[in-house]
Amino acid sequence: MMPSYFFAHGAPSIVLEDNEYTALLKSFAATHPKPKAIVLFSAHWEQTTQTVAAAEQYSTIYDFGGFQDELYRMTYPAQGDRPLSDQIQSLFAQHGIPSVLDEERGLDHGAWAVLKLVYPDADIPVIALSVNRYLTNEQQYEIGKALSALREQDVLIIGSGGTVHNLRRLNWRANGVDDWAEAFDNWLESKLEAWDTASLFNYMELAPHAQDAVPTSEHFIPLLLAMGAGDETRQAKLLHRSYQYGNLSLSCWQFN
């Protein structure tokens, strides 16, 4: 059964960087079976109704400003997979989750920056999925769980976001990690490895420095979605964790 994954996508410039985290992403394809398709929840696609991409061919969305010119020339011309989009919508319906299809939207940087590092040839069909910050954490988990059957079909489920993501607290000259960011991620690590969903669903009340780490939830949600997809086996493994700018977390979690 294909594991599901959470990948932090960091700043858009991650696709140009050379560090331990990008090295892990670049080596992923060589060390893991090639999936039949990729289903990816991006923190940068927010909708109040669960939306399933159904594009035949994706455009590349440059949903950022002030970065290197090279980024605005990059493309990720992935193909869609309409039968898989329809299957995903059917799975959502079976679990009482309303959803709609979107045939027009391209891939935002939360999707293509990660995918360009992991599968640079863009030769695997992609289905992008939206996130909704207005649902409960239990509902987020259930959305991921609704898609768990896809793992048996060699479909790779990815949540792309960030566990500590507070742009107002970034320190562009930092050489180390802020204590508060590390404390939050340490708490999160212990609860994920124990598969303590009761605590995780209440992380805002229980985790240290949660308000600083997660001022808005859209980047945290993909973690719960990817975790939900691993509900059948309930094994969480931290593959990498590092930080940029003092507290922007770059982490990779595997759920299998």
Side-chain angles (χ1 to χ4, degrees):
M1 183 182 293
M2 184 77 67
S4 57
Y5 291 88
F6 172 80
F7 290 126
H9 60 246
S13 55
I14 191 173
V15 73
L16 301 176
E17 295 168 1
D18 184 14
N19 52 48
E20 289 186 6
Y21 183 57
T22 59
L24 178 142
L25 296 181
K26 291 175 183 177
S27 67
F28 186 90
T31 54
H32 294 76
K34 186 175 182 178
K36 183 181 73 173
I38 300 167
V39 171
L40 188 146
F41 292 93
S42 172
H44 287 272
W45 187 13
E46 291 193 70
Q47 298 288 316
T48 53
T49 299
Q50 180 62 59
T51 308
V52 182
E56 179 179 348
Q57 171 85 52
Y58 288 99
S59 60
T60 304
I61 301 173
Y62 307 100
D63 52 332
F64 48 83
F67 287 89
Q68 301 95 320
D69 290 343
E70 183 179 352
L71 287 176
Y72 302 92
R73 296 191 295 270
M74 287 186 172
T75 61
Y76 194 81
Q79 301 287 325
D81 183 336
R82 183 55 183 264
L84 181 55
S85 295
D86 291 338
Q87 182 185 2
I88 290 170
Q89 193 172 36
S90 177
L91 287 170
F92 283 146
Q94 292 171 29
H95 289 80
I97 300 166
S99 66
V100 295
L101 297 177
D102 185 319
E103 299 179 348
E104 303 297 329
R105 192 178 190 275
L107 294 177
D108 58 67
H109 85 269
W112 69 259
V114 168
L115 293 176
K116 197 167 184 68
L117 288 167
V118 179
Y119 296 109
D121 295 333
D123 59 349
I124 301 171
V126 174
I127 307 299
L129 297 176
S130 66
V131 302
N132 180 1
R133 71 171 76 184
Y134 300 106
L135 301 178
T136 67
N137 292 324
E138 291 90 341
Q139 288 173 310
Q140 310 290 0
Y141 186 92
E142 290 299 318
I143 288 172
K145 185 178 177 180
L147 301 184
S148 61
L150 296 177
R151 296 171 54 207
E152 299 177 2
Q153 303 172 28
D154 295 329
V155 173
L156 175 61
I157 299 173
I158 296 173
S160 174
T163 58
V164 180
H165 187 274
N166 188 337
L167 301 185
R168 294 184 177 183
R169 296 293 301 271
L170 296 185
N171 180 354
W172 298 93
R173 298 180 180 179
N175 293 318
V177 55
D178 293 337
D179 290 344
W180 62 266
E182 194 167 37
F184 176 83
D185 268 342
N186 286 339
W187 181 92
L188 186 61
E189 179 179 350
S190 68
K191 303 308 178 185
L192 286 167
E193 290 180 344
W195 212 273
D196 182 357
T197 54
S199 294
L200 288 165
F201 294 161
N202 292 284
Y203 73 90
M204 192 55 69
E205 291 76 30
L206 299 178
H209 309 288
Q211 190 60 58
D212 286 323
V214 189
T216 57
S217 62
E218 76 288 341
H219 276 75
F220 191 87
I221 289 167
L223 177 71
L224 297 175
L225 294 164
M227 185 187 187
D231 179 80
E232 184 175 343
T233 45
R234 296 194 169 196
Q235 295 180 348
K237 182 179 180 181
L238 180 62
L239 302 184
H240 178 89
R241 191 174 84 194
S242 58
Y243 298 85
Q244 292 182 307
Y245 318 123
N247 53 65
L248 183 64
S249 64
L250 299 177
S251 57
C252 176
W253 280 93
Q254 176 179 294
F255 303 105
N256 65 342

